[in-house]
Amino acid sequence: MSLLNNSNKSIARLLACLMLVQMILGIVLNFYFLKPILRYDGSVGTQELIYILGSATLVALIISSLNLVFGLLLPKDRVSRQSGMFITLIALAAVGVALSTVEYAKLSEYVVFLTGGYLDAGSSSETFEPLKKLLATGRNEAHFFSIFISSLSLLFFYGLVLREKLLPTYLASFAVFSVTLQLIAVGHTFFELPIPTLIQAPIALTQLIVPIYLLVAGFKCDSHLINEQLEKAS
């Protein structure tokens, strides 16, 4: 039993570290890699922009793939009792990875436009500005749809954690609540409405609190499972 607890605690710590890595990579992606592309003003050279795009694509795929890893790291002896939720979680996370690929394919079209000489001083803004806007819109739509599906997979992740009591009820419930708010926020974009920044604050808090808890305490033990293991051992 001690070996099982130690194993689960090690897995919880690994999961916590990956959650923190995902958060850090998200900050780097948005504020370092994507900023020169989405706010392109001609000051960045073509080769550098292509390098930034390649790096951003790699980081984005790692971020989206980690949602899949999170689900696979959950204790099998616990999630096996919620097979429907687990399969849905894995399926949504896999779709999220695929949608992230589509998003960055759209972004590459935008970068090709930026680096193709269309925005040179001699180009007609009346001719090419609508195309630039069209490409940017296509990328943004793919981006928000990808985030929505990834957030949905995260909702099932925390729902599974709540059902199996892998975290304290208050913490898991707050996580479910924060992801629900994230889905509502992203859903605004489907109706061409601005994203309410304030209701995204709880998800940022969750991204810090949950991994810190897992690093310190690990997964909560299942009393029923412990009793079963003790009965088998005796």
Side-chain angles (χ1 to χ4, degrees), residues 50-96:
I50 292 173
Y51 167 77
I52 291 171
L53 171 65
S55 301
T57 303
L58 178 61
V59 171
L61 290 177
I62 291 173
I63 290 172
S64 58
S65 297
L66 282 174
N67 286 334
L68 187 60
V69 175
F70 294 163
L72 294 173
L73 282 177
L74 290 174
K76 301 298 181 293
D77 54 340
R78 309 281 287 275
V79 299
S80 61
R81 297 181 295 196
Q82 307 290 342
S83 58
M85 288 185 71
F86 179 71
I87 292 171
T88 304
L89 158 63
I90 297 302
L92 286 171
V95 172

Side-chain angles (χ1 to χ4, degrees), residues 6-23:
N6 289 336
S7 175
N8 281 344
K9 195 159 189 176
S10 297
I11 292 171
R13 286 174 175 169
L14 174 59
L15 178 59
C17 290
L18 291 177
M19 284 179 167
L20 292 173
V21 167
Q22 187 187 55
M23 182 184 68

Side-chain angles (χ1 to χ4, degrees), residues 3-43:
L3 184 62
L4 179 63
N5 287 339
N6 289 336
S7 175
N8 281 344
K9 195 159 189 176
S10 297
I11 292 171
R13 286 174 175 169
L14 174 59
L15 178 59
C17 290
L18 291 177
M19 284 179 167
L20 292 173
V21 167
Q22 187 187 55
M23 182 184 68
I24 293 169
L25 288 178
I27 293 171
V28 171
L29 177 64
N30 287 304
F31 293 99
Y32 180 74
F33 288 122
L34 291 181
K35 191 175 179 180
I37 297 175
L38 301 179
R39 299 183 181 179
Y40 182 75
D41 58 3
S43 60

Side-chain angles (χ1 to χ4, degrees), residues 9-10 14 16 32 36 39-40 51 56 61 84 110 113 115-116 127 158 175 189-192 202 223 227:
K9 195 159 189 176
S10 297
L14 174 59
Y32 180 74
R39 299 183 181 179
Y40 182 75
Y51 167 77
L61 290 177
Y110 184 69
F113 174 81
T115 59
T127 304
Y158 283 118
T189 64
F190 301 150
F191 303 97
E192 299 182 356
S223 57
N227 291 334

Side-chain angles (χ1 to χ4, degrees), residues 153-215:
S153 74
L154 204 56
L155 181 63
F156 274 87
F157 173 84
Y158 283 118
L160 189 53
V161 166
L162 179 62
R163 288 283 295 271
E164 286 302 313
K165 299 180 180 178
L166 292 167
L167 292 175
T169 302
Y170 68 88
L171 181 55
S173 298
F174 179 77
V176 169
F177 172 71
S178 66
V179 176
T180 302
L181 289 181
Q182 168 82 348
L183 286 166
I184 293 171
V186 176
H188 277 64
T189 64
F190 301 150
F191 303 97
E192 299 182 356
L193 298 171
I195 294 180
T197 305
L198 189 60
I199 66 173
Q200 290 186 291
I203 191 70
L205 194 58
T206 297
Q207 288 178 315
L208 279 174
I209 295 175
V210 170
I212 289 173
Y213 176 88
L214 289 173
L215 281 171

